[in-house]
Amino acid sequence: MRRAKISIIGAGNVGATCAHWAASKELGDIVLIDIPEIEVTKPDGTKEKVPFTMPAGKALDLYEASPVEGYDSKIIGTSDYSKTADSDVVIVTAGIARKPGMSRDDLIATNTKIVREVAQNVAKHSPKAIMIVVSNPLDAMVYVAWKASGFPTNQIIGQAGVLDAARYRSFLAEEIGCSVEDVQALLLGGHGDDMVPLPRYTFAGGIPIAQLVKKERLEQIVQRARDGGAEIVKLLKTGSAYYAPAAATVQMAEAIIKDKKRILPCAAYCEKEYGVGGYFVGVPCVLGTNGVERVIQIELDDNEKKAFQTSVDHVKELVKTVKL
Ligand code: APR
């Protein structure tokens, strides 16, 4: 039987951590891709371009851990997309973080260029792959990847909801004093600030959350989950979250590779669904071999509909700022 092949574009913190988790779950062979060269400053102050060997270093290090951890995966790091050919799943984490003095629009412009180029390369070498986009701003980058790849919509998914729900679930488990495994939660809408939590669809061990956590406390927990990315940035000081984003991404990859038909909240293309009209927004999806196999439409009450619509409007505004 052929092993599954997973390519990860961007071998930074999120990409390398995805590789680590995918290897430890023995999901398949892994290719880590990054840029070919970086600019370094020499002792005399002049700059020169040197080959960027970091992805090869991380891949080799991870491969050397395999006899200890017991996974049989080939792991390579390169800038050569031909090595990604015929991947089953491609995870896109390439991009730059916002730098001081950089506006949000500058960041979108830079990451649009990067994600566009990446998606074109993915489409060329792995036309049948399911592409999971992680690069931020997520709701815009997943749209860019779709347009640039020309992929059918089931082949493109954004990672957002699994991470937001994981943050929410972990804080709820802490509050209730129960296992994190027993907390089930569903979120809709955009990523982070724009997420729409649904307390009516949140349970711990099958018990509706409203019976376990007071309304005011639940609101505080929702807010903490919403600000989850910023809380980590503040603590790390030199970067953004990567363990939880990578774990969330690998859960999606696993559902696809093993054709598990898991129902996970993901940024999926919605046309008629929820009346979205052609954007990627967070909705419950069935994930299997064909990527997004189904978007599940759930019943929303008036308040939930309103919150979802506000979130969708934000996603549309964000996508409008993208210059393809
Ligand atoms: N092709 C391939 N890789 C690229 C490209 C490109 N065109 N441009 C940049 N990269 C690489 C960088 O060289 C870097 O190694 O993407 C990697 C990004 O890694 P980090 O800077 O460590 O960022 P990380 O924390 O991994 O976050 C990546 O995921 O969660 C999101 O907001 C986060 O958008 C960010 C992305």
Side-chain angles (χ1 to χ4, degrees), residues 21-247:
W21 259 313
S24 65
K25 286 172 178 269
E26 215 172 30
L27 292 188
D29 293 334
I30 298 168
V31 182
L32 268 173
I33 292 268
D34 211 294
I35 49 176
E37 294 179 317
I38 48 162
E39 197 173 71
V40 293
T41 308
K42 294 200 289 186
D44 65 3
T46 56
K47 293 185 189 295
E48 70 169 338
K49 288 208 164 163
V50 296
F52 191 41
T53 54
M54 180 273 275
K58 286 187 179 177
L60 180 61
D61 196 10
L62 202 49
Y63 178 64
E64 287 168 357
S66 63
V68 182
E69 289 295 311
Y71 48 80
D72 281 304
S73 298
K74 275 191 219 137
I75 308 168
I76 60 162
T78 174
S79 60
D80 177 2
Y81 274 90
S82 70
K83 300 280 194 306
T84 67
D86 298 324
S87 295
D88 299 286
V89 170
V90 177
I91 296 170
V92 179
T93 75
I96 59 155
R98 194 155 148 185
K99 297 190 178 121
M102 198 178 206
S103 74
R104 189 177 154 90
D105 286 355
D106 291 340
L107 176 74
I108 293 180
T110 305
N111 282 352
T112 294
K113 250 171 86 185
I114 292 173
V115 171
R116 185 172 52 210
E117 179 212 304
V118 167
Q120 284 164 349
N121 276 312
V122 172
K124 184 170 158 204
H125 294 278
S126 300
K128 300 218 168 88
I130 309 300
M131 191 166 8
I132 306 176
V133 180
V134 187
S135 308
N136 272 315
L138 188 274
D139 303 299
M141 291 307 117
V142 64
Y143 192 88
V144 171
W146 172 53
K147 286 284 181 192
S149 64
F151 273 9
T153 52
N154 64 300
Q155 274 179 246
I156 303 258
I157 326 165
Q159 186 291 117
V162 179
L163 170 62
D164 291 331
R167 288 181 169 144
Y168 183 45
R169 289 169 61 202
S170 58
F171 302 149
L172 282 172
E174 200 177 18
E175 176 70 16
I176 297 163
C178 71
S179 165
V180 289
E181 282 185 89
D182 290 329
V183 182
Q184 291 287 327
L186 178 58
L187 305 169
L188 299 180
H191 183 32
D193 295 352
D194 283 326
M195 73 179 215
V196 180
L198 299 171
R200 283 200 307 137
Y201 291 93
T202 305
F203 300 89
I207 305 160
I209 207 70
Q211 293 183 28
L212 297 165
V213 182
K214 289 209 170 70
K215 193 165 177 276
E216 309 76 64
R217 188 68 194 114
L218 190 60
E219 275 164 17
Q220 288 167 354
I221 290 170
V222 164
Q223 195 53 43
R224 187 170 174 207
R226 205 170 255 146
D227 298 337
E231 186 177 359
I232 302 280
V233 167
K234 214 167 137 195
L235 291 166
L236 291 180
K237 296 197 167 64
T238 55
S240 50
Y242 51 98
Y243 289 117

Side-chain angles (χ1 to χ4, degrees), residues 269-277 281 283 295-297 308:
Y269 185 81
C270 295
E271 180 68 61
K272 292 202 183 76
E273 296 89 348
Y274 296 93
V276 169
V281 290
V283 284
V295 168
I296 299 181
Q297 296 208 68
F308 181 65

